[in-house]
């Protein structure tokens, strides 16, 4: 009887580990619990390896040697597989030195309600030479203050904001765009929630002359237990925003590329957009939370592009962890595919 129960438990653990390693194989990547767990791949790998070591010690206890050994083997295989996926996506290469002055540079930073302050945000934008700055949880006034500081530094910017109310800073998203990219009109709305992400606002900008990229400043709701339906709806809506040939999306997606598995088109990650971090070899660097080391965090803040662009430089800025925001800034240098 004991051997039978042990076999049942071992089989259940095997199934659970397969789901956690690659939930998209069963279409479970956006389900409660699984979605939260898969966002922390490196934590899962380390935790599984640690538990496997404990079980290996228990192998010295003769009555449970076979059971403990089987579970330890499964956990070690799982840890290696999950760590391998993380390694393939990339674990922290800073390639921004490869950027060129004529690249389009995108900075995105969830500021947790303007917390780093306009000067700090403007300093990072100027330092990185940002042409597009997307700022979830950032108010219009903060955006104006950032634009003024950037103008004084020689980098003028236009400011666009969508706010779902005037009280909660988290319900504002601001995007700054360099005039060098041309004129843009805002096509997302705070009045019609059907034309936006459901709980927290995103900003969609279209070029007036139709020659530049569509720009989407993203803020999807977090996948808490009560918001799972809205979260899935947000990701689907964002995928629709990247249905064209020339799109740049950046912001807080509250999702890793695992969660987007069913929403990509023609091999892309979300709609026709692909994650710049993964293309640059940094797709496993955590952008949230700043309370954790970057390799143990969740890569949920992204710059995503269609195949009209190649990623010439990328980094997750870990040197702003004490800024007051719980998200790390992400910087991507983008070059048109037609450029040499």
């Amino acid at each position: 009887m004991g051997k039978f129960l042990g076999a049942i438990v071992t089989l259940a653990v095997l199934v659970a580990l397969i789901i956690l390693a690659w939930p998209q194989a069963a279409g479970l990547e956006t389900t409660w619990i699984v979605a939260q767990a898969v966002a922390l791949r490196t934590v899962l790998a380390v935790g599984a390896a640690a538990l496997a070591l404990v079980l290996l010690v228990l192998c010295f206890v003769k009555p449970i040697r076979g059971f403990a050994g089987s579970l330890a083997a499964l956990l070690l295989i799982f840890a290696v597989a999950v760590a391998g996926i993380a390694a393939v996506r990339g674990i922290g290469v800073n390639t921004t030195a490869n950027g060129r002055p004529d690249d389009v540079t995108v900075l995105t930073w969830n500021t947790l309600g303007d917390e780093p302050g306009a000067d700090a945000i403007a300093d990072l934008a100027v330092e990185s030479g940002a042409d597009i700055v997307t700022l979830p949880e950032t108010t219009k006034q903060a955006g104006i203050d950032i634009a003024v500081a950037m103008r004084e530094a020689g980098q003028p910017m236009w400011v666009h904001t969508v706010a779902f109310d005037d009280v909660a800073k988290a319900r504002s998203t601001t995007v700054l765009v360099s005039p060098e990219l041309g004129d843009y009109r805002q096509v997302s709305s705070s009045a019609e929630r059907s034309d936006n992400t459901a709980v927290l606002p995103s900003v969609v900008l279209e070029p007036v002359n139709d020659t530049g990229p569509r720009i989407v400043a993203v803020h999807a709701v977090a996948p808490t237990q009560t918001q799972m339906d809205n979260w899935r709806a947000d990701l689907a809506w964002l995928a629709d925003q990247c249905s064209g040939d020339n799109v740049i999306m950046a912001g807080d997606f509250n999702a890793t590329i695992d969660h987007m598995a069913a929403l990509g088109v023609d091999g892309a990650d979300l709609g026709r957009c692909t994650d710049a971090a993964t293309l640059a070899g940094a797709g496993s660097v955590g952008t949230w939370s700043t309370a954790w080391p970057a390799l143990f965090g969740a890569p949920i803040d992204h710059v995503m592009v269609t195949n009209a662009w190649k990623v010439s430089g990328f980094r997750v800025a870990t040197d702003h962890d004490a800024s007051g925001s719980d998200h790390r800034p992400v910087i991507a240098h983008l070059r048109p595919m037609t450029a040499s």
Side-chain angles (χ1 to χ4, degrees):
M1 185 65 177
K3 289 184 177 180
F4 176 74
L5 290 176
I8 293 296
V9 171
T10 301
L11 180 60
V13 170
L14 173 61
V15 172
L17 292 177
I18 291 173
I19 290 173
L20 288 177
W22 201 251
Q24 46 267 59
L28 297 174
E29 68 276 7
T30 59
T31 57
W32 172 241
I33 300 297
V34 175
Q36 286 71 23
V38 77
L40 299 170
R41 281 192 173 276
T42 50
V43 174
L44 288 178
V46 171
L51 184 55
L53 291 176
V54 173
L55 289 168
L56 287 173
V57 172
L58 292 177
C59 286
F60 290 102
V61 181
K62 190 173 181 179
I64 60 171
R65 180 176 298 164
F67 176 65
S70 297
L71 291 184
L74 291 178
L75 287 166
L76 286 173
I77 293 170
F78 170 81
V80 170
V82 172
I85 293 170
V88 167
R89 291 176 179 174
I91 54 174
V93 177
N94 179 357
T95 58
T96 52
N98 299 330
R100 298 192 315 211
D102 57 342
D103 289 343
V104 172
T105 299
V106 181
L107 164 65
T108 185
W109 194 359
N110 181 324
T111 68
L112 194 65
D114 307 337
E115 278 299 315
D119 289 342
I121 299 167
D123 287 347
L124 179 59
V126 170
E127 173 196 328
S128 59
D131 301 289
I132 300 169
V133 183
T134 69
L135 301 169
E137 299 198 23
T138 306
T139 60
K140 182 177 182 178
Q141 185 58 55
I144 292 171
D145 293 342
I146 295 164
V148 169
M150 292 185 69
R151 182 188 64 199
E152 292 175 350
Q155 292 182 220
M157 306 289 277
W158 295 117
V159 180
H160 302 267
T161 299
V162 172
F164 281 171
D165 63 48
D166 298 325
V167 178
K169 292 181 179 180
R171 292 167 67 82
S172 292
T173 296
T174 293
V175 56
L176 287 72
V177 181
S178 170
E180 293 184 4
L181 294 182
D183 293 330
Y184 275 82
R185 62 177 179 270
Q186 184 175 310
V187 296
S188 56
S189 169
S190 59
E192 294 294 336
R193 297 296 178 85
S194 61
D195 189 29
N196 211 308
T197 35
V199 179
L200 304 168
S202 297
V203 184
V204 181
L205 304 178
E206 293 278 10
V208 172
N209 57 11
D210 294 326
T211 60
R214 167 181 261 217
I215 299 170
V216 185
V218 173
H219 198 186
V221 73
T224 60
Q225 187 172 8
T226 58
Q227 294 289 351
M228 292 300 293
D229 287 342
N230 284 329
W231 175 66
R232 286 187 285 261
D234 281 356
L235 294 181
W237 184 85
L238 290 167
D240 288 342
Q241 304 315 302
C242 195
S243 58
D245 296 325
N246 189 4
V247 182
I248 297 173
M249 304 178 72
D252 179 4
F253 290 71
N254 268 307
T256 71
I257 60 173
D258 289 300
H259 302 126
M260 305 172 188
L263 297 171
V265 176
D266 296 335
D269 295 318
L270 188 66
R272 296 187 179 277
C273 283
T274 301
D275 180 37
T278 304
L279 293 174
S284 296
V285 181
T287 63
W288 179 88
S289 159
T290 54
W292 309 330
L295 291 184
F296 289 92
I300 59 173
D301 300 89
H302 304 273
V303 175
M304 307 191 81
V305 295
T306 56
N307 59 13
W309 300 89
K310 53 187 172 183
V311 182
S312 56
F314 186 90
R315 77 177 171 113
V316 177
T318 58
D319 51 348
H320 289 72
D321 286 0
S323 67
S325 175
D326 56 347
H327 288 252
R328 295 185 174 98
V330 172
I331 299 162
H333 297 290
L334 309 177
R335 192 170 300 163
M337 290 298 290
T338 53
S340 59

